[in-house]
Amino acid sequence: MTDPNAIQPSALDQLPDRDPEETAEWQASLDAVAQQAGPHRAAYLMRRTLERAEAGGIALPKLLETDYVNTIPTSAEPGLPGDPEMEARITAWNRWNAAAMVTRGAKHGVGGHIATFASAAWLYETGFNHFFKGKEGDGSGDQLYIQGHASPGIYARAFLDGRLTEAHLDNFRQEAGGNGLPSYPHPRRLPWLWEFPTVSMGLGPLSAIYQARFNRYLTNRGIKDVSASHVWAFLGDGEMDEPESTAALALASREGLDNLTFVINCNLQRLDGPVRANFKIVQELEAQFRGAGWNVVKTLWGSAWDELFALDTTGALVRRLREVPDAQVQTYQTRDAAYIRQDFFGKDPALVELAKLLSDDKILECFHLSRGGHEARKVYAAYKAAVGHKGAPTVILAQTVKGHTLGEGFASKNANHQMKKLSVDEFKTMRDLLELPIKDSDFVDGVVPYGHPGADSPEVRYLQERRAALGGPAPARRTHALAPLPAPAEKAFASFDKGSGSQNVATTMAFVRLVKDLVRDKETGRRWVPIVPDEARTFGMESLFPSLGIYSPKGQTYEPVDRDQLMYYKEAKNGQILNEGITEAGSMADFIAASSSYATHGEAMIPFYIFYSMFGWQRTADQMWQLGDQLGRGFLVGATAGRTTLTGEGLQHADGHSPVIAATNPAALSYDPAFAYEIAVIVREGLRRMYGEAKPGEDQNVFFYLTVYNEPLPQPAKPQGLGIDEGIVKGLYRFSTAESAGLSPAANAARIQLLGSGTAIHWAVEAQRLLAEEWGVAADVWSATSWTELRRDAMEADAALLRGEERVPYVRQALQGAEGPVLAVSDYMRQVPDQIAQWVEQDYSSLGADGFGLSDTRDAARRHFGVDAESIVVAALAQLARRGEVKATAVKEAREKYGL
């Protein structure tokens, strides 16, 4: 059995010892220190030696954890600039108004959160007064990712500086009247204030990393120099449980994103209780971030602890702090001095002696109040170290008390996340603690008053002067008055009108060909941002590698293995393609940053993110919702789409439902084009809608989702006639009649309308032929480019009727006068075409690929799901038989004939 105390071998043991005598001397010295001064002194010396080696560039494994103390000692803290007393008064007003706003709202049952901002107030205030650059200065300012539950404090500060009124605060979480404040940072709901939605936990930190990276991308590509912008992400320690929170730490380190700072509010609590009850979350996060290559700054203890550390001549205090689990630290927050003396100090004789030198008041001050995150000087030192650090991103681990200053009923209580109000007596206690000039008589009928020192008060003047010096208000979102982007040359779109002739072309390839033409456009080509998650070759995009380049801040430091090939793998500092590796979440974060660049940086960019359709909405629908909230614009492309078009791939690759998920997102305009010319029309419309001249009342803050397929098929020429483009954009047009298809049905033939989308239209066209030639039935084929847009138009028509306005849904207009029943089919579950059923006047039925996908050939899969041409024929005959328009026996005959 291995001796656990034996010295374990390391990689260094594989190297010959060139001087065994020297090695033995070092080992003997370490043994002597351990024997004479104790193992803790030996450990201290080893840590300092490792730190010195790391600072000197000596290649050694990184030290992943440091002692449970502040990274920046008090003696090394820079002086706090400005007027600390004034900033303390401003922070007191913000604390009061945040709590008052939520408490007043609680009377209406709308809820709110108090404890998070109470713990983080100084983390924000220090930044607002000294670090966060606004948008009215040079460049784009800083990007602030505010922790969602802290929003009341941000509203309170905006109230103090005159950007919000009491009426706004009284409408917190009450938006229906038009003058309300959203619960959390929601740009779509309050677009002049919020830039980034963050309350879907984990998405904020992920997006912040990719925002910082996109800033570098814009600078390196020469679009705009945003090197002065800094990204600040305010996070909770409980939020770091989300896998997305730490998913891209290595990317940030690998690319040296020193324009990024995470500020993690370590109040040791999540929603139900301790974050790490039996462990230490700060130490865990430190190791995780250090291991990923980040600069880590711990800001744990306030100045009251300075005396204790000065008395700790044996290291016993530091050792005890390291071993006490987080849940016990919370308990100390709520217990008296006698308990702390016994439980904390009583575990070590050296600490017992140290505690004798401390008064009860001193012990309570340290354990109840004094945390690094509650002192402006400590926070300032951490922020200054972060912005001054070069070559890597920084994370600040700031320890606070959740519910700080809200009274004993809140501080460190497990339930404080669910506590939405304070009593009048608790407010009066808080008032006295914060030394605010609010009188008892200001509490009228038990209603907590808002507090404001006056628009011309020293506090407000100071606040506004500090923000003016830093470039204006923050947070703030600015939609720049950008000129519409010029439309690309029509030639790029018109080239698809003539079809592909005898060549079979998949619609995925048609889309890629279109983009290749568009990125060459002299006016707008450089604004395209191609994003792909390591599947460019799957989608036929490798031809873009040498022409556009793959973005890398290091360029290409190696000779690619395929350098002698025409389509070699080319990386470049000014590369245009973002090839993210195997991460749909990272690719979506890229897309979000690029899609909102028009507001963040005043530079309209045109991102298109192409992905395996099964792995887009299903995996990252929460980010698509974030995208809609952030008012992003661009093209999402679900390639290799459909339930049956992927030969042999099987259940977890077969997308039969992405249009259903997309339909739930109000900002997503979802299209399922069948032909190359339809793609051209939709992309042209998307560019106009999002980046060109908007029509009156048209919302530009949308994004387009296109499903495209990998099955090579003939691409027909665009039909001639009026209204084709309009029909493509609105979602439905007649592709062919039985007569125009050259099928010559009898004059009295039964007729049916076949609606198909995407690849399914090819089965519908074949069914049209079979119905005519083998059953004497005339079928018209319609291309349903967007079931969702048809449904939304119909719903708007319904809403108009409720207002007394007469309006006919477009789907009903398009199908007006069309003879016979309607049969709809797609390569998705029936729920997709069934979206329009209630607005179709004709008899309506549908076919779809419901259930799990399977591995087989396309033909076999389509027969399995009952969506192939023969299945469409049988379903059509059944519909007509029910109406008495064909013989009932025809259905059985067809079923037997086709082997169904």
Side-chain angles (χ1 to χ4, degrees):
M1 188 172 180
T2 303
D3 181 0
N5 297 314
I7 297 175
Q8 301 300 310
S10 72
L12 294 178
D13 293 333
Q14 307 303 315
L15 301 175
D17 190 342
R18 294 184 297 181
D19 193 340
E21 184 176 347
E22 181 184 37
T23 303
E25 289 176 359
W26 276 81
Q27 292 171 338
S29 297
L30 181 64
D31 292 341
V33 171
Q35 292 169 5
Q36 296 176 19
H40 301 298
R41 176 61 181 170
Y44 176 86
L45 290 176
M46 287 301 300
R47 285 198 296 273
R48 297 292 87 81
T49 302
L50 285 171
E51 289 172 355
R52 182 62 173 244
E54 183 178 339
I58 299 173
L60 283 173
K62 287 184 179 294
L63 189 67
L64 295 185
E65 285 188 44
T66 60
D67 286 327
Y68 201 67
V69 296
N70 295 348
T71 302
I72 303 171
T74 301
S75 60
E77 290 172 2
L80 181 63
D83 186 337
E85 183 180 343
M86 185 68 72
E87 292 174 20
R89 293 209 298 270
I90 291 170
T91 305
W93 284 116
N94 292 340
R95 288 181 182 279
W96 177 272
N97 287 321
M101 174 175 58
V102 174
T103 298
R104 287 165 70 126
K107 292 189 175 183
H108 302 287
V110 294
H113 299 286
I114 304 177
T116 294
F117 177 73
S119 68
W122 276 113
L123 301 180
Y124 291 108
E125 193 61 34
T126 304
F128 285 131
N129 285 323
H130 302 288
F131 291 95
F132 304 156
K133 295 186 286 292
K135 294 183 175 297
E136 295 172 3
D138 295 334
S140 300
D142 287 354
Q143 288 81 55
L144 307 181
Y145 288 76
I146 304 295
Q147 190 179 2
H149 293 129
S151 62
I154 308 304
Y155 290 140
R157 197 173 200 277
F159 168 65
L160 206 63
D161 74 8
R163 293 196 291 165
L164 291 176
T165 66
E166 286 194 15
H168 285 114
L169 300 192
D170 266 345
N171 282 296
F172 174 59
R173 292 193 171 200
Q174 300 172 73
E175 298 179 80
N179 196 34
L181 299 179
S183 51
Y184 304 120
H186 291 305
R188 185 167 286 275
R189 292 302 184 202
L190 201 61
W192 60 267
L193 180 72
W194 299 121
E195 282 194 279
F196 308 108
T198 54
V199 82
S200 189
M201 292 189 183
L203 299 190
L206 180 69
S207 290
I209 289 173
Y210 280 89
Q211 181 66 56
R213 189 213 193 196
F214 188 74
N215 290 358
R216 292 279 174 85
Y217 172 89
L218 285 180
T219 300
N220 288 339
R221 286 198 55 219
I223 302 292
K224 182 179 182 180
D225 184 356
V226 295
S227 55
S229 291
H230 199 89
V231 177
W232 300 82
F234 289 84
L235 317 168
D237 48 358
E239 183 176 3
M240 301 311 292
D241 287 345
E242 289 285 3
E244 294 87 353
S245 294
T246 55
L249 298 188
L251 168 73
S253 167
R254 184 169 65 246
E255 300 206 358
L257 298 181
D258 49 25
N259 60 339
L260 170 69
T261 298
F262 276 14
V263 181
I264 303 181
N265 178 13
C266 297
N267 56 36
L268 314 185
Q269 288 185 250
R270 51 190 175 197
L271 307 190
D272 287 333
V275 177
R276 294 289 183 273
N278 296 298
F279 305 93
K280 299 190 83 63
I281 185 60
V282 168
Q283 300 299 91
E284 178 183 320
L285 291 175
E286 179 184 28
Q288 192 170 13
F289 278 87
R290 281 184 180 274
W294 286 53
N295 176 44
V296 179
V297 177
K298 293 196 291 192
T299 302
L300 307 180
W301 307 112
S303 55
W305 283 83
D306 289 348
E307 179 183 342
L308 275 68
F309 289 125
L311 295 171
D312 181 31
T313 57
T314 65
L317 177 62
V318 173
R319 292 195 300 273
R320 182 68 179 132
L321 288 173
R322 187 181 178 92
E323 69 188 21
V324 175
D326 283 352
Q328 192 64 23
V329 173
Q330 271 186 271
T331 298
Y332 294 149
Q333 175 69 32
T334 63
R335 302 300 292 269
D336 59 20
Y339 177 87
I340 297 171
R341 284 183 186 277
Q342 178 182 351
D343 192 87
F344 181 83
F345 293 99
K347 303 296 184 181
D348 187 304
L351 291 180
V352 171
E353 294 304 311
L354 188 154
K356 291 178 180 178
L357 305 175
L358 305 175
S359 67
D360 285 355
D361 286 345
K362 182 65 176 181
I363 289 175
L364 293 179
E365 181 187 11
C366 289
F367 283 84
H368 285 193
L369 301 174
S370 187
R371 299 293 186 272
H374 295 323
E375 294 189 14
R377 182 184 175 109
K378 304 289 185 184
V379 175
Y380 179 84
Y383 287 6
K384 190 171 179 61
V387 297
H389 187 81
K390 299 303 176 185
T394 294
V395 59
I396 295 168
L397 303 174
Q399 185 160 279
T400 66
V401 174
K402 194 168 186 178
H404 183 61
T405 73
L406 297 180
E408 294 182 1
F410 265 83
S412 283
K413 295 297 175 68
N414 283 337
N416 62 19
H417 184 77
Q418 303 302 324
M419 298 162 70
K420 313 298 183 187
K421 58 184 179 180
L422 281 74
S423 68
V424 169
D425 287 342
E426 287 171 324
F427 266 105
K428 291 178 178 178
T429 300
M430 180 183 177
R431 172 201 61 190
D432 296 341
L433 175 65
L434 298 176
E435 299 180 348
L436 291 172
I438 297 173
K439 303 184 293 294
D440 286 354
S441 59
D442 293 334
F443 293 81
V444 180
D445 298 327
V447 176
V448 181
Y450 294 119
H452 199 294
D456 196 39
S457 64
E459 292 93 333
V460 173
R461 288 201 306 272
Y462 180 88
L463 181 156
Q464 293 176 340
E465 287 168 2
R466 291 305 309 140
R467 288 312 314 157
L470 287 166
R477 182 179 182 273
R478 296 285 187 269
T479 302
H480 304 263
L482 299 178
L485 293 183
E490 182 62 25
K491 180 181 177 181
F493 305 104
S495 63
F496 291 90
D497 289 355
K498 60 185 178 182
S500 62
S502 61
Q503 182 184 10
N504 289 342
V505 177
T507 52
T508 297
M509 183 53 66
F511 176 81
V512 171
R513 285 185 186 177
L514 176 61
V515 169
K516 284 175 64 177
D517 289 339
L518 293 175
V519 296
R520 295 191 187 104
D521 185 83
K522 292 181 179 179
E523 295 287 341
T524 59
R526 72 191 192 110
R527 296 191 177 275
W528 284 85
V529 183
I531 302 167
V532 59
D534 197 43
E535 293 257 34
R537 298 182 193 276
T538 302
F539 309 135
M541 291 176 58
E542 64 268 31
S543 62
L544 297 179
F545 289 168
S547 59
L548 300 184
I550 299 164
Y551 172 73
S552 170
K554 291 184 177 296
Q556 194 154 39
T557 61
Y558 60 92
E559 184 177 354
V561 68
D562 54 359
R563 181 64 179 85
D564 58 343
Q565 297 180 17
L566 182 63
M567 294 184 285
Y568 69 97
Y569 196 82
K570 176 187 175 183
E571 297 187 76
K573 289 183 179 180
N574 62 348
Q576 194 163 350
I577 301 170
L578 292 173
N579 190 315
E580 283 311 332
I582 305 173
T583 167
E584 285 82 11
S587 299
M588 265 308 301
D590 262 336
F591 186 90
I592 291 170
S595 71
S596 53
S597 178
Y598 72 93
T600 308
H601 295 299
E603 293 288 347
M605 304 300 287
I606 311 171
F608 80 86
Y609 165 33
I610 186 167
F611 50 86
Y612 232 121
S613 66
M614 184 67 167
F615 308 142
W617 287 86
Q618 176 166 292
R619 286 197 179 185
T620 57
D622 195 12
Q623 287 179 283
M624 273 75 162
W625 201 263
Q626 178 191 11
L627 166 64
D629 193 349
Q630 199 165 315
L631 308 174
R633 306 170 184 174
F635 296 94
L636 296 177
V637 184
T640 58
R643 186 80 85 192
T644 70
T645 58
L646 284 165
T647 53
E649 287 288 2
L651 185 149
Q652 287 193 310
H653 284 65
D655 171 26
H657 54 283
S658 69
V660 177
I661 308 175
T664 66
N665 191 313
L669 277 60
S670 179
Y671 287 89
D672 186 24
F675 306 123
Y677 67 79
E678 293 179 351
I679 292 172
V681 170
I682 293 165
V683 171
R684 182 177 59 195
E685 170 64 11
L687 291 172
R688 182 207 64 78
R689 171 80 180 265
M690 296 182 288
Y691 301 97
E693 294 283 358
K695 297 175 182 177
E698 193 172 53
D699 184 7
Q700 288 189 283
N701 298 316
V702 296
F703 59 93
F704 279 57
Y705 175 54
L706 284 75
T707 46
V708 292
Y709 300 82
N710 73 325
E711 183 177 8
L713 290 164
Q715 296 297 324
K718 186 177 179 180
Q720 298 298 309
L722 297 174
I724 298 296
D725 286 9
E726 179 188 23
I728 292 172
V729 171
K730 289 190 172 182
L732 184 68
Y733 70 97
R734 182 152 43 196
F735 173 71
S736 70
T737 63
E739 290 78 9
S740 67
L743 297 173
S744 304
N748 61 347
R751 187 173 289 269
I752 190 168
Q753 308 298 318
L754 302 180
L755 277 57
S757 69
T759 194
I761 201 166
H762 296 278
W763 323 328
V765 168
E766 175 62 10
Q768 179 189 48
R769 184 188 67 80
L770 293 174
L771 283 166
E773 295 179 355
E774 300 183 6
W775 306 97
V777 172
D780 299 339
V781 175
W782 299 71
S783 180
T785 52
S786 180
W787 309 99
T788 301
E789 287 306 295
L790 291 173
R791 173 181 174 80
R792 288 174 177 171
D793 172 80
M795 292 171 65
E796 289 173 7
D798 287 353
L801 285 174
L802 291 176
R803 298 190 299 268
E805 303 170 15
E806 284 294 330
R807 184 175 157 195
V808 179
Y810 174 78
V811 65
R812 190 169 295 167
Q813 295 177 42
L815 291 171
Q816 187 173 15
E819 297 178 39
V822 170
L823 174 61
V825 59
S826 80
D827 204 16
Y828 300 93
M829 55 196 300
R830 289 175 61 181
Q831 188 174 339
V832 174
D834 284 351
Q835 290 180 83
I836 67 170
Q838 74 183 81
W839 292 281
V840 175
E841 293 182 316
Q842 294 88 341
D843 292 342
Y844 188 91
S845 64
S846 64
L847 297 175
D850 286 76
F852 288 114
L854 76 165
S855 302
D856 214 311
T857 64
R858 293 186 180 109
D859 289 342
R862 287 161 188 167
R863 177 55 59 91
H864 170 81
F865 287 110
V867 293
D868 59 353
E870 292 80 5
S871 298
I872 294 173
V873 169
V874 173
L877 293 174
Q879 239 183 321
L880 292 168
R882 285 193 296 271
R883 294 162 57 92
E885 296 178 14
V886 300
K887 294 179 180 179
T889 56
V891 181
K892 181 180 179 183
E893 291 172 14
R895 191 180 299 118
E896 292 174 352
K897 178 181 178 70
Y898 301 132
L900 297 181

